[in-house]
């Protein structure tokens, strides 16, 4: 009986799914499809590899009793006009898990329309091939003139009794191919609050009149949208026509007040802008000095400081440890199910997991010590100007401590530094929330955040290389030091938790996790299991370190070893430093009679190679931050040989956008080469692109240079 019931349920479920898929297909390709017969492309785009006939996006937010339903739908109809277009659309890759977080299946549809009008629908479920973490489907027998028409349809339903913020959506209207027709539809009803705006010349969102007063529908329509290449060093949302929106659901006024969003006054109002007054109103009661300062007070009694600035910095690093890194081992042990560790830290251990907790606590310290401060509200440079801030999640917060030399403090990570905040916030306009009596936000003003220079953000490498007597191998010793913004991403990649927790335990004389376990037998058991995790991670890092170094060059390496010399976690001028030793086999040396050709330029690492197409760039240039790369090569020449052809290694290209300088000299049996490449600013207008290309080409050309290691008296 159970088997029969289960079979019946499966049949009903399959029937419903088939019915849903049929309705979804009708939604896109049914009788109301205005583009099902459109196949003609404008003459001006006849040489494009592909042209998007129709791009459609649909978003729908509704409630049904206690349930909230969200729908997102997407469609493209593309004509393929050459082999490049065919290659681009000959395969589709998508997530293997075709279900959303709420268990609703994402439905995909693909069909090919031949030049004679014949339609071939692809059986996505049957033809998809499983990969490691995704699925791939090949589109067979594509030809020039074919049209690919595909869609995805996702519906999520869940219960919500309070407030709920949907994921923000930020997209350009344009694509990598020109678009003939574009349409976006957007539908909501009461209890859904919408922030929505278009930027950079994008068309306005227009309301469509509906019969029901509690429901609302909007649309954007555009035609003749030019393509964009979305090149390197480009922020599309800053320059291209785009839209941004977020929807927040709140069943009543109480939940509206709790919403983490710059909500419009009413559901039927689309909020298009967020003023500095809106920002002030949102944050006025968001923060307050709060927290037990006992640990900080005891820390301050043990130490003396020459200046307030010095005190603030020391307290920041202490706080980072005492409320963050001190608990990292516990989270590792808990996740690995070795033990439940948190009761080892007392009755009420505090681990800062949110920015708000940290800011409130540090405000309490500043208030208690009568140190003036502001709260900074900023947004990442790739989001655009602060005046265009629309989505609360795009706001980043800093504390500006008004010491003699102001200190900027960001919510900590294991590697965060005092007075160094996200490079995406540097040199941007922001809002400063003014704090009255060191405790309450009362006003707001627009301010400019500090910037860094290419001399602050340095990637320094010293390579000592020696050629084997038989010239078959080259032994390399590489020392790397990264300072300023250059070190941030490298710290996250190169450092593991045991690097910084061990460092902090020693610095602050606190107990590691295992030393807190009183029972000797249990401690030994836990330590053994914990060491196994650490050793596994060390093996992974060794492998990743080697791959990372190989990726920085054009050759494979062997016998790789490394050592972390300095974590760079205490001061922005303190570098992350590490050294590596490895061997290159037959990678850079070629025999030429009794002499040898050494591809010495490749030792500075991979450089940007600007293609002919990329040199025709029309977009402006946006960097993460100004930076410099400083290389020093010391190559020991084998006895009985000398190096010739050094003149090709001396280059100098400099202008206001940056530069590349190199030099080479022989001192005894050592060839010494220095290279220096730098980018001067965060942004360059397109008119300066050719100047950037000049020094990039010089750097790339250097990597192609060779010298002759010549036998003496030959």
């Amino acid at each position: 009986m159970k088997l029969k019931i289960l079979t019946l349920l499966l049949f009903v479920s399959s029937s419903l799914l088939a019915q849903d898929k049929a309705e979804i297909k009708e939604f896109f390709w049914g009788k109301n499809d205005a583009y099902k017969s459109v196949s003609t492309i404008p003459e001006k785009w006849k040489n494009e590899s592909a042209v998007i006939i129709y791009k459609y996006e649909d978003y729908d937010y509704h409630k049904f009793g206690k349930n909230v339903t969200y729908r997102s739908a997407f469609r493209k109809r593309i004509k393929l006009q050459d082999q490049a277009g065919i290659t681009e659309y000959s395969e589709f890759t998508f997530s293997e898990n075709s279900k959303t977080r709420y268990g609703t299946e994402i439905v995909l549809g693909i069909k090919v329309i031949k030049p004679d009008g014949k339609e071939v629908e692809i059986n996505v479920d049957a033809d998809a091939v499983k990969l490691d973490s995704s699925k791939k489907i090949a589109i067979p027998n594509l030809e020039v003139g074919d049209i690919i028409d595909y869609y995805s349809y996702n519906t999520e339903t869940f219960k919500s009794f309070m407030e709920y913020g949907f994921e923000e959506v930020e997209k350009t209207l344009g694509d990598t191919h020109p678009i003939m027709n574009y349409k976006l539809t957007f539908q909501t009803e009461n209890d859904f609050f919408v922030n929505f705006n278009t930027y950079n010349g994008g068309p306005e969102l227009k309301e469509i009149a509906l019969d029901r007063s509690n429901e609302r529908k909007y649309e954007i329509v555009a035609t003749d949208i030019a393509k964009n290449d979305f090149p390197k060093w480009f922020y599309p949302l800053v320059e291209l026509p785009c839209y941004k929106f977020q929807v927040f659901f709140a069943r009543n006024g109480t939940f509206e007040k709790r919403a983490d969003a710059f909500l419009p006054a009413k559901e039927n109002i689309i909020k298009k802008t967020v003023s500095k007054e809106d920002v002030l109103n949102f944050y006025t009661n968001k923060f307050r000095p709060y927290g037990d300062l006992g640990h900080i007070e005891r820390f301050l009694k043990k130490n003396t400081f020459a200046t307030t600035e010095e005190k603030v910095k020391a307290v920041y690093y202490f706080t980072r440890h005492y409320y963050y890194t001190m608990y990292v081992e516990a989270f590792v042990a808990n996740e690995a199910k070795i033990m439940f560790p948190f009761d080892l830290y007392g009755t009420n251990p505090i681990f800062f997991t949110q920015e708000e907790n940290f800011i409130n606590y540090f405000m309490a310290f500043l208030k208690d010590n009568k140190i003036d401060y502001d709260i900074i509200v900023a947004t990442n440079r790739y989001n655009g100007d602060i005046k265009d801030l629309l989505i609360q999640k795009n706001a980043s917060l800093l504390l500006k401590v008004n010491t003699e030399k102001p200190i900027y403090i960001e919510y900590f990570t294991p590697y965060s530094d005092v007075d160094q905040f996200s490079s995406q916030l540097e040199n941007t306009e922001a809002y400063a929330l003014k704090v009255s009596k060191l405790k309450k936000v009362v006003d707001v003003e627009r301010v400019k955040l500090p910037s860094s220079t290419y001399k602050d953000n340095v990637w320094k490498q010293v390579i000592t290389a020696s050629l084997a007597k038989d010239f078959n191998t080259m032994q390399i010793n590489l020392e790397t030091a990264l300072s300023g913004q250059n070190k941030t991403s490298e710290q996250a990649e190169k450092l593991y938790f045991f690097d910084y927790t061990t460092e902090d335990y020693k610095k602050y004389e606190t107990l590691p996790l295992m030393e807190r376990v009183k029972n000797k037998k249990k401690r030994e058991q836990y330590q053994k299991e914990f060491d196994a995790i650490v050793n596994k991670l060390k093996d992974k890092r060794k492998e990743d370190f080697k791959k990372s170094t190989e990726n920085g060059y054009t050759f494979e390496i062997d016998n790789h070893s490394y050592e972390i010399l300095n974590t760079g976690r205490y001061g922005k001028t303190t570098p992350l430093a590490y050294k590596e030793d490895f061997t290159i086999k037959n990678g850079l040396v070629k025999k030429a009679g009794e002499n040898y050709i050494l591809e010495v330029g490749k030792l500075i690492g991979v450089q940007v190679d600007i293609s002919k197409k990329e040199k025709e760039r029309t977009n402006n240039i946006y960097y993460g931050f100004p930076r410099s790369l400083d290389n020093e090569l010391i190559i020991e020449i084998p006895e009985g040989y000398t190096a010739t052809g050094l003149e090709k290694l001396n280059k100098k290209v400099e202008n206001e956008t940056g530069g590349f300088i190199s030099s080479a000299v022989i001192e005894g049996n050592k060839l010494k080469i220095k290279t220096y490449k730098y980018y001067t600013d965060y942004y360059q207008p397109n008119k300066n692109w050719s100047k950037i290309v000049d020094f990039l080409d010089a750097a790339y050309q250097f990597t192609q240079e060779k010298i002759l290691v010549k036998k003496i008296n030959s």
Side-chain angles (χ1 to χ4, degrees):
M1 177 63 70
K2 287 183 180 180
L3 179 61
K4 289 182 180 180
I5 292 174
L6 177 61
T7 303
L8 177 61
L9 288 173
L10 287 173
F11 174 76
V12 171
S13 176
S14 299
S15 299
L16 289 173
L17 182 59
Q19 182 181 1
D20 288 344
K21 286 187 175 182
E23 291 175 357
I24 291 169
K25 186 190 295 188
E26 178 69 20
F27 176 80
F28 289 105
W29 294 340
K31 60 183 179 181
N32 294 324
D33 178 12
Y35 296 93
K36 59 186 173 183
S37 300
V38 179
S39 60
T40 304
I41 304 302
E43 180 68 17
K44 64 180 177 179
W45 289 334
K46 67 178 182 179
N47 294 324
E48 296 290 339
S49 62
V51 176
I52 300 172
I53 295 172
Y54 184 46
K55 180 178 178 180
Y56 175 58
E57 297 172 277
D58 172 74
Y59 303 93
D60 187 288
Y61 301 82
H62 274 79
K63 67 180 190 294
F64 302 92
K66 297 177 181 179
N67 290 332
V68 175
T69 297
Y70 161 64
R71 180 185 76 210
S72 62
F74 177 84
R75 177 190 175 191
K76 270 188 185 180
R77 182 180 175 94
I78 311 113
K79 186 164 186 177
L80 311 179
Q81 302 197 125
D82 63 16
Q83 186 57 48
I86 291 172
T87 301
E88 181 178 351
Y89 289 97
S90 61
E91 288 183 352
F92 285 77
T93 302
F94 52 94
S95 173
E96 179 185 3
N97 181 8
S98 61
K99 295 186 179 239
T100 70
R101 55 186 164 166
Y102 297 109
T104 306
E105 187 172 358
I106 300 171
V107 178
L108 304 173
I110 307 172
K111 68 178 178 180
V112 178
I113 301 94
K114 292 295 183 179
D116 62 3
K118 179 183 177 182
E119 294 190 358
V120 180
E121 186 172 345
I122 308 299
N123 189 330
V124 175
D125 295 332
D127 296 345
V129 176
K130 183 177 178 180
L131 302 175
D132 290 338
S133 59
S134 61
K135 286 186 175 182
K136 180 175 69 174
I137 186 165
I139 311 300
N141 306 317
L142 286 179
E143 302 172 292
V144 172
D146 284 354
I147 291 173
I148 287 272
D149 200 328
Y150 70 95
Y151 63 77
S152 66
Y153 188 99
N154 165 28
T155 304
E156 299 181 8
T157 300
F158 57 96
K159 294 185 184 299
S160 180
F161 303 97
M162 301 180 294
E163 76 278 3
Y164 181 82
F166 292 88
E167 287 295 316
E168 64 275 15
V169 179
E170 302 174 274
K171 292 183 179 181
T172 61
L173 273 67
D175 212 307
T176 53
H177 301 293
I179 302 172
M180 293 170 56
N181 303 282
Y182 172 87
K183 186 175 184 179
L184 176 146
T185 53
F186 188 91
Q187 299 163 79
T188 66
E189 62 173 312
N190 287 348
D191 294 338
F192 291 89
F193 294 81
V194 181
N195 289 29
F196 197 121
N197 205 357
T198 57
Y199 302 89
N200 309 317
E204 291 288 322
L205 184 72
K206 295 183 179 180
E207 185 167 3
I208 307 300
L210 298 176
D211 294 335
R212 298 179 63 180
S213 60
N214 67 320
E215 294 201 6
R216 287 165 285 281
K217 183 174 183 178
Y218 307 88
E219 71 175 20
I220 289 175
V221 176
T223 59
D224 201 29
I225 302 175
K227 72 173 183 179
N228 197 282
D229 294 328
F230 298 90
K232 183 181 181 70
W233 299 321
F234 180 55
Y235 295 160
L237 297 178
V238 176
E239 293 206 354
L240 299 183
C242 64
Y243 66 86
K244 303 179 184 182
F245 76 82
Q246 185 181 30
V247 175
F248 217 97
F249 174 73
R251 286 193 181 271
N252 58 44
T254 300
F255 301 129
E256 291 173 33
K257 293 177 182 178
R258 294 183 355 187
D260 283 330
F262 305 116
L263 294 186
K266 297 180 180 179
E267 301 106 311
N268 61 351
I269 298 174
I270 297 289
K271 190 170 185 63
K272 298 173 62 177
T273 59
V274 174
S275 67
K276 68 178 185 179
E277 288 73 26
D278 289 330
V279 172
L280 175 63
N281 292 336
F282 180 82
Y283 288 108
T284 293
N285 298 310
K286 193 79 169 173
F287 303 111
R288 62 187 178 95
Y290 177 78
D292 181 358
L293 298 178
H295 296 300
I296 285 182
E297 289 169 355
R298 288 187 284 275
F299 171 75
L300 292 175
K301 285 180 181 179
K302 292 180 181 179
N303 297 275
T304 57
F305 307 99
T307 64
T308 303
E309 183 179 338
E310 187 179 308
K311 179 196 285 190
V312 171
K313 290 181 178 181
V315 168
Y316 176 82
Y317 290 125
F318 173 78
T319 305
R320 183 183 66 180
H321 172 59
Y322 212 87
Y323 298 105
Y324 191 87
T325 65
M326 192 167 71
Y327 296 95
V328 170
E329 285 187 327
F331 279 92
V332 172
N334 184 63
E335 187 176 342
K337 295 182 171 53
I338 294 174
M339 59 191 292
F340 181 79
F342 300 107
D343 53 5
L344 300 174
Y345 294 87
T347 56
N348 188 29
I350 299 174
F351 178 83
F352 289 154
T353 58
Q354 294 181 340
E355 189 175 52
E356 185 176 338
N357 302 138
F358 162 72
I359 289 178
N360 287 338
Y361 188 82
F362 217 83
M363 286 171 65
F365 156 69
L366 295 170
K367 177 178 178 292
D368 194 57
N369 286 267
K370 297 179 173 57
I371 302 171
D372 186 52
Y373 65 94
D374 300 327
I375 301 171
I376 303 296
V377 181
T379 192
N380 289 331
R381 197 178 301 105
Y382 55 71
N383 289 326
D385 193 275
I386 189 69
K387 68 177 174 57
D388 292 328
L389 178 65
L390 183 70
I391 297 168
Q392 193 275 328
K393 283 186 178 181
N394 286 346
S396 298
L397 299 173
L398 304 171
L399 282 172
K400 179 191 175 189
V401 185
N402 296 315
T403 49
E404 184 175 349
K405 180 184 176 183
I407 302 171
Y408 290 83
I409 294 177
E410 196 171 33
Y411 173 54
F412 38 56
T413 70
Y415 328 105
S416 56
D417 264 326
V418 171
D419 218 16
Q420 178 170 299
F421 48 88
S422 168
S423 64
Q424 277 292 324
L425 303 182
E426 288 185 343
N427 198 46
T428 65
E429 297 284 330
Y431 295 129
L433 301 173
K434 312 304 288 185
V435 180
S436 174
K437 297 181 181 180
L438 302 176
K439 63 180 181 179
K440 184 173 177 60
V441 173
V442 295
D443 201 3
V444 61
E445 66 181 26
R446 186 160 168 145
V447 296
K448 181 74 172 285
L449 295 182
S451 59
S452 60
T453 72
Y454 68 89
K455 294 181 180 179
D456 298 320
N457 307 315
V458 182
W459 188 305
K460 170 72 175 177
Q461 289 193 320
V462 178
I463 296 177
T464 304
S466 58
L467 286 159
K469 290 182 180 180
D470 61 4
F471 288 88
N472 284 331
T473 62
M474 180 182 287
Q475 185 63 38
I476 301 290
N477 172 267
L478 170 60
E479 293 195 14
T480 303
L482 301 97
S483 58
Q485 297 291 2
N486 266 325
K487 67 180 176 180
T488 306
S489 61
E490 282 293 300
Q491 285 172 315
E493 179 183 321
K494 296 293 193 297
L495 301 181
Y496 280 44
F497 76 86
F498 41 81
D499 296 310
Y500 55 80
T501 54
T502 301
E503 181 176 56
D504 284 358
Y505 290 140
K506 291 179 180 177
K507 182 176 179 66
Y508 296 107
E509 299 179 339
T510 50
L511 289 177
L513 173 65
M514 294 306 164
E515 290 185 25
R516 296 173 181 270
V517 180
K518 302 303 181 183
N519 184 296
K520 182 180 178 182
K521 187 174 181 181
K522 285 186 176 180
R523 182 170 66 246
E524 289 175 350
Q525 174 194 338
Y526 295 156
Q527 187 70 63
K528 184 177 180 180
E529 294 179 48
F530 198 79
D531 287 345
I533 293 173
V534 171
N535 290 333
K536 187 175 181 179
L537 289 173
K538 285 182 177 179
D539 289 341
K540 180 181 184 301
R541 175 164 67 175
K542 183 176 181 179
E543 181 181 344
D544 290 346
F545 219 121
K546 179 176 180 289
K547 287 181 180 177
S548 176
T549 300
E550 282 185 331
N551 290 338
Y553 294 96
T554 57
F555 45 79
E556 294 182 357
I557 63 177
D558 290 316
N559 306 316
H560 180 268
S561 64
Y562 69 91
E563 179 185 354
I564 304 294
L565 302 176
N566 194 322
T567 63
R569 298 174 59 247
Y570 289 95
K572 67 178 182 180
T573 59
T574 304
L576 166 66
Y578 51 88
K579 68 176 182 179
E580 301 170 78
D581 289 285
F582 53 86
T583 303
I584 306 170
K585 288 185 177 180
N586 302 318
L588 301 178
V589 182
K590 296 179 181 177
K591 189 171 178 59
E594 59 182 359
N595 303 318
Y596 294 88
I597 296 171
L598 173 60
E599 296 185 79
V600 67
K602 288 184 168 55
L603 285 171
I604 71 166
V606 174
Q607 300 295 311
V608 179
D609 181 15
I610 303 297
S611 67
K612 182 178 178 180
K613 181 181 178 181
E614 289 173 319
K615 289 181 180 180
E616 300 170 357
R617 180 181 182 124
T618 58
N619 300 111
N620 295 320
I621 300 94
Y622 299 84
Y623 300 123
F625 50 89
R627 63 200 185 280
S628 56
L629 300 93
D630 189 349
N631 284 285
E632 183 178 352
L633 311 178
I634 304 168
I635 303 172
E636 185 176 338
I637 304 299
E639 186 178 351
Y641 289 85
T642 187
T644 63
L646 273 57
E647 64 280 357
K648 296 178 294 184
L649 303 178
N650 293 281
K651 302 179 185 293
K652 186 174 183 179
V653 177
E654 291 185 286
N655 53 58
E656 69 267 34
T657 69
F660 178 79
I661 307 165
S662 64
S663 63
V665 296
I666 290 284
E667 293 182 4
N669 71 329
K670 292 182 173 60
L671 168 60
K672 295 186 175 181
I673 301 171
K674 292 184 177 182
T675 69
Y676 187 69
K677 184 169 75 168
Y678 62 99
Y679 303 80
T680 60
D681 215 332
Y682 302 88
Y683 165 84
Q684 293 291 344
N686 172 258
K687 67 179 182 179
N688 286 343
W689 177 235
S690 62
K691 296 177 181 179
I692 297 171
V693 170
D694 285 344
F695 76 79
L696 292 178
D697 279 351
Y700 177 76
Q701 184 56 43
F702 183 91
T703 65
Q704 307 305 300
E705 301 295 1
K706 307 173 181 65
I707 63 169
L708 184 67
V709 181
K710 187 177 180 182
K711 191 171 180 63
I712 298 174
N713 299 323
S714 63

